[in-house]
């Protein structure tokens, strides 16, 4: 039996990983022939593993997915395309903003699951993925994310959007 907390966690993380995969797909649509293509593909491949894992949990534990998936499909891809069109630094700034938000989000989930022994495997999954999200953030920083024009504003806008997406996907 899936309790309410785990259900909310699985629903929102499935939505988030879906969105993340779409962001990198959008960036690859623009930068697929750039020198960053391999890096973007590496991150997209990891997001796909994250997404497949949560899709598996959605099915196995009969969690209702968020009704907003069609929206995250378009919004994620659009965010990827727009930031990539602004340049590789803006694309990397998007990655840093998204992954920093997800790091906080996953850390909070790990803390919330701390005392729930039944959910130890879910917690371990989240911890593993969080380490990879931090790797993505570091890739963004190593590729001059902070030198993007309007970095602070861009970062703030994307983080605000991510947080709104998280709040909606937990419930809707
Ligand atoms: Fe991910
Ligand atoms: Fe990521």
């Amino acid at each position: 039996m899936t309790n309410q907390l785990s259900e909310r966690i699985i629903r929102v993380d499935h939505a988030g990983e879906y969105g993340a995969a779409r962001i990198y797909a959008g960036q690859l649509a623009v930068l697929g022939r750039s020198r960053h293509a391999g890096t973007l593909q590496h991150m997209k491949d990891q997001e796909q593993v994250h997404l497949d894992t949560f899709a598996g949990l959605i099915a196995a534990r009969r969690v209702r997915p968020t009704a907003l998936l069609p929206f995250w499909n378009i919004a994620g891809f659009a965010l990827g395309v727009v930031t990539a069109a602004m340049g590789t630094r803006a694309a990397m700034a998007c990655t840093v903003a998204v992954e920093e938000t997800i790091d906080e989000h996953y850390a909070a989930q790990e803390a919330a699951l701390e005392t729930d022994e039944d959910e130890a495997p879910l917690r371990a999954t989240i911890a593993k993925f969080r380490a990879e999200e931090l790797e993505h953030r570091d890739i963004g920083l190593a590729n001059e994310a902070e030198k993007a024009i309007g970095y602070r504003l861009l970062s703030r806008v994307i983080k605000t959007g991510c947080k709104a997406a998280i709040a909606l996907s937990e419930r809707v």
Side-chain angles (χ1 to χ4, degrees):
M1 186 57 194
T2 298
N3 68 38
Q4 247 186 340
L5 172 65
S6 323
E7 208 170 295
R8 240 178 29 218
I9 285 176
I10 292 167
R11 178 180 305 117
V12 66
D13 292 358
H14 173 251
E17 298 297 352
Y18 181 74
R22 294 296 292 156
I23 291 171
Y24 289 116
Q27 292 187 342
L28 274 165
V30 177
L31 297 170
R33 290 196 186 86
S34 76
R35 69 192 174 88
H36 292 292
T39 304
L40 293 172
Q41 188 64 50
H42 164 72
M43 295 193 284
K44 181 171 181 287
D45 289 347
Q46 284 182 323
E47 302 301 357
Q48 189 63 47
V49 174
H50 300 175
L51 172 57
D52 292 345
T53 302
F54 281 110
L57 286 168
I58 286 262
R61 299 176 62 161
R62 298 196 176 84
V63 174
R64 176 184 62 76
T66 172
L68 298 170
L69 286 183
F71 182 70
W72 302 146
N73 180 357
I74 296 166
F77 192 80
L79 178 61
V81 166
V82 167
T83 52
M86 289 165 70
T88 59
R89 288 169 171 170
M92 294 295 167
C94 172
T95 290
V96 173
V98 170
E99 305 292 12
E100 276 181 357
T101 308
I102 300 304
D103 169 45
E104 276 175 34
H105 170 69
Y106 278 175
Q109 290 183 343
E110 285 174 50
L113 291 172
E114 188 134 36
T115 54
D116 189 343
E117 277 177 35
D118 294 342
E119 295 294 2
L122 176 61
R123 188 164 179 268
T125 297
I126 292 167
K128 178 175 186 285
F129 292 174
R130 184 158 75 91
E132 291 176 353
E133 313 301 8
L134 287 173
E135 184 201 321
H136 299 169
R137 178 205 60 189
D138 292 343
I139 288 171
L141 291 172
N143 284 286
E144 304 187 327
E146 291 160 303
K147 289 187 185 167
I149 293 167
Y151 175 73
R152 292 177 65 172
L153 176 63
L154 185 63
S155 176
R156 206 174 320 135
V157 168
I158 292 171
K159 284 184 175 181
T160 302
C162 285
K163 284 176 185 163
I166 287 168
L168 283 168
S169 299
E170 278 176 340
R171 293 167 183 86
V172 182

